[in-house]
Amino acid sequence: MNRSRSRRALAAAAFGLCAASLVVGCGDPGDLRGAGQTPTAVGPTRLWPDLPPASSPVGDYGTADTEQVDGVKVPGGDLREVDPVAIVKAQAAAHPDDYTGPSALYEETVDALKYCGAKDPAKARECPVLKAYYRDFTGDGKDDVVIGIRMPEEQLAIRVYAMDKGHLTQIMGTSDAVLGVELAGRDLVLRAVSDIPGYEYRTAWSWDRHQRAMLPTRDEFLRSSDAPRPKGVRSPAPALTEGPAEVRPAPGPSSGERPDAPEDGGGGGGTGR
């Protein structure tokens, strides 16, 4: 008798649980369901298939150039123990007449190196070598060093140095009118000014184990909220996100808005390249 009552109680409980869980599909087999029609995949169409491919680049950009830096001691192979100014001075001494390419230093920049380490704070601020940053770009478990060097005409040289086979080696070098520099994982991301208002160039430099150098592996042209506008440009920078255009009344006597007044209330902005 007790067993019969227990069985009836268990059956009633199971039925109640199933009924209560109908909202989540009690008894749903969980099979895959169709999501409807999908667009047909269209492969890329090759243009001018008979055109012979080029065998060499138009110009040498030096993106895979590396250089061993002599005359700088690296205690224990730890780049954090090295003065970044000593690295820049060593390269400047090795290339006194080199003013082009990724290792270029303008004459004014070389002259300003004498202020690095000055006791007078005013003179020390004239040092073109910026604070160094450290990150393992090569994946060998040791920090490499990123050095920024101020150049004339709002240019910034960015260089990366690593210990390669026991030698201090420059593995990346470039210069540009920089909006910002970021570390993202093992990538070095450079944001540079564009000559189109409201846009910027964004280049990610990554370590390539075959070239044993950092290469520009991703180059983008993007909208930017803080990119400067050339002088005389009145239109605001495009928004970062797309959206429906805002309908605004045309300027006139009734709107109280001057037709020639910038929307941001300021001047013409910065100067692009």
Side-chain angles (χ1 to χ4, degrees):
M1 185 68 178
N2 291 335
R3 291 180 181 178
S4 178
R5 291 179 180 176
S6 299
R7 290 174 181 172
R8 288 198 298 269
L10 289 172
F15 178 81
L17 286 173
C18 186
S21 60
L22 284 177
V23 291
V24 294
C26 181
D28 189 346
D31 296 337
L32 295 176
R33 297 179 180 180
Q37 293 184 348
T38 57
T40 304
V42 179
T45 301
R46 183 180 178 184
L47 306 184
W48 306 295
D50 298 330
L51 185 69
S55 59
S56 61
V58 174
D60 179 14
Y61 296 98
T63 54
D65 290 346
T66 60
E67 178 182 344
Q68 181 176 318
V69 182
D70 298 321
V72 179
K73 295 183 179 180
V74 185
D78 186 359
L79 289 176
R80 290 180 176 269
E81 299 297 324
V82 180
D83 182 5
V85 176
I87 299 177
V88 177
K89 286 184 175 181
Q91 283 196 304
H95 304 279
D97 300 322
D98 185 9
Y99 296 102
T100 60
S103 299
L105 282 175
Y106 290 93
E107 184 177 1
E108 298 93 325
T109 302
V110 177
D111 291 340
L113 289 175
K114 63 186 178 185
Y115 298 114
C116 298
K119 295 182 179 180
D120 185 352
K123 292 183 178 181
R125 284 194 293 269
E126 298 298 321
C127 175
V129 182
L130 305 180
K131 171 186 174 181
Y133 289 88
Y134 302 88
R135 180 65 58 93
D136 179 13
F137 295 106
T138 64
D140 63 355
K142 297 182 179 179
D143 280 341
D144 309 310
V145 58
V146 184
I147 298 179
I149 309 167
R150 288 196 302 265
M151 298 286 195
E153 300 179 0
E154 298 183 337
Q155 297 279 311
L156 181 70
I158 301 98
R159 300 178 183 176
V160 178
Y161 301 86
M163 292 300 294
D164 187 22
K165 299 179 181 179
H167 299 285
L168 176 62
T169 304
Q170 178 183 319
I171 60 173
M172 177 261 185
T174 189
S175 61
D176 212 330
V178 172
L179 285 171
V181 184
E182 302 170 355
L183 293 173
R186 287 171 55 188
D187 289 347
L188 183 67
V189 182
L190 270 59
R191 299 175 52 230
V193 175
S194 164
D195 54 359
I196 299 180
Y199 287 79
E200 68 179 56
Y201 295 103
R202 191 173 300 176
T203 306
W205 291 75
S206 310
W207 170 253
D208 185 277
R209 62 185 181 88
H210 300 288
Q211 296 294 329
R212 302 198 66 77
M214 294 186 71
L215 305 180
T217 54
R218 188 171 64 255
D219 203 0
E220 300 175 294
F221 183 72
L222 306 170
R223 290 180 179 232
S224 175
S225 61
D226 57 352
R229 290 177 284 159
K231 290 182 179 179
V233 175
R234 296 184 180 275
S235 59
L240 286 174
T241 56
E242 297 288 347
E246 181 182 359
V247 178
R248 301 181 60 187
S254 61
S255 64
E257 181 180 5
R258 295 202 335 260
D260 59 343
E263 291 184 10
D264 54 10
T271 303
R273 286 190 297 173

